[in-house]
Amino acid sequence: MVIIRLADYIQIDKNRVNQYLLKVKTFNSPISSIEHKTHLAIESINYNQIDSEKIYIECTPKDSSQFIKIYNLIKDIQKEFDTSWAVLGEIYGFIPQNKPSIKFRRISSNLENKNFVESLPFLTKNKNLKLISL
């Protein structure tokens, strides 16, 4: 179950939606439209990091609300990783070999890069943001 939850959660890039369909389709729900546009703002997901247990997300949010939505989504995915690792450790920790595990433990993005955030043409109005300089 852990793998299914994480696999669905991590599938956030623009390949999940059809950008052309978004131009011709009218959504009944504004939330659906926001979700589609959010996926289109995810430029890439890089699984090949120096840290082999880390996923890196490159995104280009178009406005403050999209920035905060993506930032919070990545934070939520990290919480899901943490919870999943804890559950696997609790349930299978006593097994000496061949324990179920997940390849990744961490996720980060360019939204944590202070220089990138400062270069955006809009304000990132979330008092809980923690930015790092790279």
Side-chain angles (χ1 to χ4, degrees), residues 109-126:
S109 75
N110 59 329
L111 301 184
E112 298 168 5
N113 182 315
K114 185 177 180 181
N115 292 332
F116 174 76
V117 171
E118 289 175 350
S119 73
L120 294 172
F122 51 81
L123 296 175
T124 55
K125 301 175 185 175
N126 188 337

Side-chain angles (χ1 to χ4, degrees), residues 6-132:
L6 284 169
D8 183 51
Y9 222 161
I10 292 171
Q11 191 181 11
I12 60 173
D13 67 342
K14 61 174 66 178
N15 294 325
R16 185 170 180 147
V17 298
N18 184 328
Q19 64 182 339
Y20 302 109
L21 182 63
L22 185 62
K23 292 179 181 178
V24 296
K25 180 177 170 115
T26 303
F27 291 100
N28 293 331
S29 164
I31 294 172
S32 294
S33 178
I34 291 168
E35 291 297 321
H36 274 74
K37 289 176 183 174
T38 300
H39 286 294
L40 292 174
I42 307 295
E43 295 296 325
S44 66
I45 301 176
N46 186 338
Y47 300 99
N48 300 315
Q49 297 292 306
I50 293 171
D51 177 353
S52 63
E53 295 182 332
K54 182 178 180 181
I55 297 171
Y56 185 77
I57 309 290
E58 187 81 29
C59 50
T60 54
K62 306 295 183 232
D63 55 37
S64 295
S65 62
Q66 196 173 67
F67 176 96
I68 292 168
K69 180 162 185 53
I70 296 168
Y71 181 86
N72 288 334
L73 176 62
I74 292 168
K75 261 178 53 176
D76 288 343
I77 293 171
Q78 181 61 57
K79 286 180 193 173
E80 190 68 30
F81 273 131
D82 295 342
T83 301
S84 298
W85 273 100
V87 167
L88 288 175
E90 274 300 308
I91 295 173
Y92 299 104
F94 67 92
I95 298 174
Q97 295 178 1
N98 299 324
K99 297 178 191 183
S101 66
I102 309 166
K103 181 177 179 181
F104 300 105
R105 291 181 184 259
R106 290 172 287 288
I107 186 166
S108 67
S109 75
N110 59 329
L111 301 184
E112 298 168 5
N113 182 315
K114 185 177 180 181
N115 292 332
F116 174 76
V117 171
E118 289 175 350
S119 73
L120 294 172
F122 51 81
L123 296 175
T124 55
K125 301 175 185 175
N126 188 337
K127 62 184 178 190
N128 297 322
L129 288 179
K130 294 179 184 146
L131 302 175
I132 56 173

